[in-house]
Amino acid sequence: MKALQLIFRYIKYFFTAKSKHSAQAPFLYELITKVIDKRTDDSNCQSIETLRKELCKSEREIQITDFGAGSTINNSKTRKVKDVAKNSAKNAKFGKLLYRIIQFYKPKNILELGTSLGISTSYLAKANSNSQVFTFEGCPETAKIAQENFDKQNIKNTSITLGDFNITLADKLKKIETVDLTFIDGNHQEKPTIAYFEECLKYANNNTIFIFDDIHWSDGMENAWNYIKAHPKTTLTIDLFFVGIVFVKSELSKEDFTIRF
Ligand SMILES: C[S@@+](CC[C@H](N)C(=O)[O-])C[C@H]1O[C@@H](n2cnc3c(N)ncnc32)[C@H](O)[C@@H]1O
């Protein structure tokens, strides 16, 4: 039933999504032509994808501590790393999109809710070594592998905060003071997603970018996405179906775009 709903939502998205030529504002035009529609395949991305391939073959077993909406694919406590890598990580297309967003807008302080094995974190971190990536994960055994993956790749600009987002996020934000980009990819439920958005907003500046994963994954996530789009602080939003991008720049007019990706 859930899969059918998702297919239905995707079909709706596909037929309402605009092509890039409808983009009027220079900001949006630049975002589409220089970030969304660009292709990337440099050595950083290639090495992250080599790591993904290794993880997708790993028979190593870990104990999962699940704080979030849980997996619809495998809810057992013990899982193989290869299953986590195949089912939880954003794919290369979206990893590279994150990479281009960081390279283009150069956010300094980057927050990621949901480290998992560190694949998307690697894209965030390697895009700009002058940025600092603060990534959050609740499952200690998963976070341990993520740290191993950062060490393997010599990633130095990343730190993992371990624990439930509901507890760790507010404390960490107080220390960081300002956030330039937030990628929310964990606990895909309506109320927590809205709460994380509101909490991060307190530390946002005019250039802060929010990226939400799985905005159409469930009715709850649809509601959260609609709430975020309607929020008075939100100006431009981009719906790419599997992710939503939100800008709070006050000089932009309030507009919601759905773009094929
Ligand atoms: C979809 S995975 C993240 C995938 C990762 N961003 C990537 O693309 O490589 C979501 C992660 O969020 C973690 N998580 C979910 N809810 C959480 C919570 N309330 N507190 C801490 N971690 C949580 C899960 O343990 C899981 O590892």
Side-chain angles (χ1 to χ4, degrees), residues 180-192:
D180 306 300
L181 184 139
T182 300
F183 174 44
I184 299 185
D185 185 18
N187 202 3
H188 297 312
Q189 300 182 73
E190 180 178 349
K191 283 194 177 144

Side-chain angles (χ1 to χ4, degrees), residues 145-162:
I145 298 182
Q147 187 58 57
E148 289 171 14
N149 290 334
F150 302 150
D151 296 343
K152 258 188 222 164
Q153 298 179 90
N154 206 21
I155 291 175
K156 305 266 189 230
N157 57 334
T158 296
S159 63
I160 306 177
T161 299
L162 193 60

Side-chain angles (χ1 to χ4, degrees), residues 64-69 84 87-91 112-121 136-139 142 163-166 168 183 185-188 196 213:
I64 298 291
T65 310
D66 192 356
F67 285 100
V84 179
N87 299 322
S88 301
K90 289 306 293 167
N91 65 24
E112 178 186 50
L113 296 189
T115 319
S116 190
L117 301 171
I119 293 181
S120 56
T121 325
F136 295 69
E137 175 54 54
C139 173
T142 311
D164 188 344
F165 306 151
N166 300 329
T168 54
F183 174 44
D185 185 18
N187 202 3
H188 297 312
Y196 305 148
D213 186 52

